[in-house]
């Protein structure tokens, strides 16, 4: 069996592969260090360029399975890609822990007014008398109760929060009081103190956090987006924040990245912007390699693969 693997993980991955596996390394530009015409498996890496993917698909005509380390694969599933009829698996769950920790950080930052306190610190001012909240008994709505959403719920539950969620196929989940279907979350908005967007970007979810959503949210509610920027209507969000329709937002993703220096979002005092870094962790590579190796064993044994992507649904 021949594998195409990213040069970024070759040193760690190759010693763990079976002896009968032949490796072809690929760099971020799609340059291969060997013949990939008969390669059966492709393990891509983060920030996969469309041109790199196209070079692999052109070179590896016998490719059967592609594993992507990302949870979101909207940038991969194009009409031409679907035509190849490849098995596609993703890295769902690999980033769940660091992202969940970031979400708790965003909520604590807002509830405890940490930006305001930090500003007072830099000004050498000892000021008290403004309201500081608790997370206890606050309602958290997680739109997208997948692996990331469930890790968020574990940590939010430890703070005594009430947790609601949505997912494509609703089912009872630990730590959630209620889980509704993909179209059932809007009636829950009026109950939410915090709304976390954790759903994949698909043609159905693009722009779904729109003006109607902000009208349904309480004025004290706080939006957190750790999914994809295109899920949120950025113009509607900006207007809602400026008009005080919602209390604030934490945005780790935006529609166009990097966010333009001219974006009005930078100037809003009730917005916390981070540079799409909530998934960062020194353990990401370790978890990604472990998932791929487990799936490689399953693939060679003809067993079901983990994180199989429904390319029609988009995740």
């Amino acid at each position: 069996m021949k594998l195409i693997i990213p040069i970024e993980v070759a040193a760690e991955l190759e010693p763990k592969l079976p002896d009968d596996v032949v490796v072809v390394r690929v760099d971020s530009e799609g340059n291969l260090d060997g013949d990939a015409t008969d390669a059966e498996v492709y393990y891509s890496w983060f920030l996969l360029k469309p041109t790199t993917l196209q070079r692999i698909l052109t070179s590896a005509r016998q490719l059967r399975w592609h594993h992507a380390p990302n949870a979101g694969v909207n940038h991969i599933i194009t009409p031409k890609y679907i035509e190849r009829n490849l098995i596609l698996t993703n890295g769902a769950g690999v980033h769940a822990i660091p992202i969940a920790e970031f979400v708790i950080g965003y909520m604590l930052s807002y509830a405890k007014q940490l930006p305001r306190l930090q500003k007072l610190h830099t000004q050498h001012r000892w000021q008290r008398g403004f309201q500081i909240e608790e997370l206890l008994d606050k309602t958290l709505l997680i739109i997208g109760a997948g692996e990331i959403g469930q890790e968020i719920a574990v940590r939010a539950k430890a703070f005594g929060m009430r947790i609601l969620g949505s997912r494509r196929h609703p089912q009872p989940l630990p730590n959630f009081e209620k889980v509704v279907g993909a179209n059932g979350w809007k009636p829950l908005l009026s109950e939410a103190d915090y709304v976390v967007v954790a759903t994949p970007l698909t043609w159905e979810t693009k722009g779904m956090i729109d003006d109607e959503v902000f009208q349904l949210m309480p004025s004290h509610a706080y939006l957190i987006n750790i999914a994809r920027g295109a899920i949120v209507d950025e113009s509607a969000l900006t207007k809602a924040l400026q008009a005080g329709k919602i209390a604030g937002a934490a945005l780790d993703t935006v529609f166009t990245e990097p966010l333009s220096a001219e974006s009005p979002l930078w100037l809003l005092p009730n917005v916390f912007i981070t540079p799409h870094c909530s998934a960062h962790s020194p353990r990401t590579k370790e978890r990604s390699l472990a998932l791929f190796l487990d799936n490689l064993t399953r693939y060679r044994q003809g067993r079901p693969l983990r994180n199989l992507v429904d390319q029609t649904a988009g995740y």
Side-chain angles (χ1 to χ4, degrees), residues 1 8 14 19 31 35 39 105 112 116-117 119 161 165 169-170 209 215 225 243 253 285 289 306 312 314:
M1 175 181 288
E8 291 90 344
E14 289 185 40
D19 293 337
N31 299 306
D35 179 15
K112 303 304 180 184
R116 182 172 183 172
L117 291 168
K119 185 176 181 179
M161 300 186 77
H169 301 294
I209 308 299
Q215 295 288 349
N225 185 10
T253 59
K285 183 183 286 189
L289 291 177
R306 294 165 58 190
T312 302

Side-chain angles (χ1 to χ4, degrees), residues 168-181:
R168 188 181 182 196
H169 301 294
Q171 64 189 76
L173 293 172
N175 304 304
F176 287 81
E177 178 179 303
K178 180 190 297 185
V179 179
V180 299

Side-chain angles (χ1 to χ4, degrees), residues 4-236:
I4 303 171
I5 67 170
I7 197 169
E8 291 90 344
V9 299
E12 296 95 333
L13 180 59
E14 289 185 40
K16 299 176 181 178
L17 293 172
D19 293 337
D20 62 338
V21 167
V22 177
V23 167
V24 177
R25 301 176 195 89
V26 60
D27 66 18
S28 61
E29 300 300 321
N31 299 306
L32 300 156
D33 72 351
D35 179 15
T37 53
D38 56 344
E40 191 172 335
V41 178
Y42 172 40
Y43 177 19
S44 61
W45 201 233
F46 298 101
L47 303 177
L48 177 62
K49 299 176 182 178
T51 51
T52 298
L53 178 58
Q54 186 54 47
R55 291 184 72 173
I56 295 298
L57 294 179
T58 300
S59 302
R61 300 308 304 173
Q62 295 183 38
L63 197 66
R64 294 185 57 203
W65 168 38
H66 173 200
H67 178 78
N70 321 71
V73 290
N74 54 285
H75 62 300
I76 292 173
I77 305 174
T78 63
K80 286 187 177 180
Y81 185 93
I82 292 174
E83 285 177 6
R84 287 294 298 269
N85 197 30
L86 300 176
I87 299 166
L88 175 62
T89 54
N90 68 3
V94 168
H95 311 95
I97 290 173
I99 291 177
E101 292 178 351
F102 247 96
V103 169
I104 296 298
Y106 293 134
M107 291 193 292
L108 286 173
S109 177
Y110 173 67
K112 303 304 180 184
Q113 296 218 35
L114 297 186
R116 182 172 183 172
L117 291 168
Q118 181 63 41
K119 185 176 181 179
L120 290 171
H121 175 99
T122 60
Q123 296 172 344
H124 300 186
R125 293 175 58 197
W126 184 276
Q127 180 183 329
R128 301 173 69 183
F130 50 87
Q131 187 167 326
I132 293 177
E133 295 284 351
E134 297 181 357
L135 296 184
L136 180 67
D137 295 329
K138 293 294 191 292
T139 296
L140 167 62
L141 172 59
I142 301 173
I143 303 173
E147 294 198 50
I148 291 172
Q150 291 174 54
E151 287 289 349
I152 294 169
V154 169
R155 287 151 183 78
K157 191 69 174 180
F159 283 87
M161 300 186 77
R162 172 178 178 250
I163 306 163
L164 310 175
S166 72
R167 56 185 288 140
R168 188 181 182 196
H169 301 294
Q171 64 189 76
L173 293 172
N175 304 304
F176 287 81
E177 178 179 303
K178 180 190 297 185
V179 179
V180 299
N183 297 317
W185 53 271
K186 285 186 179 180
L188 303 179
L189 287 167
S190 62
E191 304 177 46
D193 299 294
Y194 295 89
V195 177
V196 174
V197 181
T199 190
L201 174 60
T202 68
W203 65 270
E204 292 178 314
T205 64
K206 185 175 181 179
M208 74 176 189
I209 308 299
D210 55 13
D211 184 64
E212 179 192 3
V213 171
F214 299 125
Q215 295 288 349
L216 292 171
M217 290 171 64
S219 60
H220 68 270
Y222 193 81
L223 178 76
I224 298 171
N225 185 10
I226 46 77
R228 289 291 184 268
I231 297 172
V232 177
D233 182 331
E234 214 159 273
S235 175

Side-chain angles (χ1 to χ4, degrees), residues 242-309:
Q242 291 171 332
K245 291 181 181 178
I246 62 172
L251 307 173
D252 191 49
T253 59
V254 292
F255 190 85
T256 301
E257 298 181 0
L259 182 63
S260 167
E262 288 70 45
S263 170
L265 291 171
W266 289 114
L267 302 176
L268 296 176
N270 52 349
V271 177
F272 187 178
I273 296 170
T274 53
H276 205 153
C277 63
S278 65
H280 291 188
S281 166
R283 299 189 64 179
T284 296
K285 183 183 286 189
E286 167 195 335
R287 292 179 179 127
S288 182
L289 291 177
L291 174 59
F292 173 71
L293 286 168
D294 180 53
N295 259 353
L296 181 62
T297 299
R298 291 166 177 263
Y299 179 82
R300 287 164 64 87
Q301 294 176 351
R303 294 191 288 133
L305 300 183
R306 294 165 58 190
N307 293 2
L308 190 65
V309 174

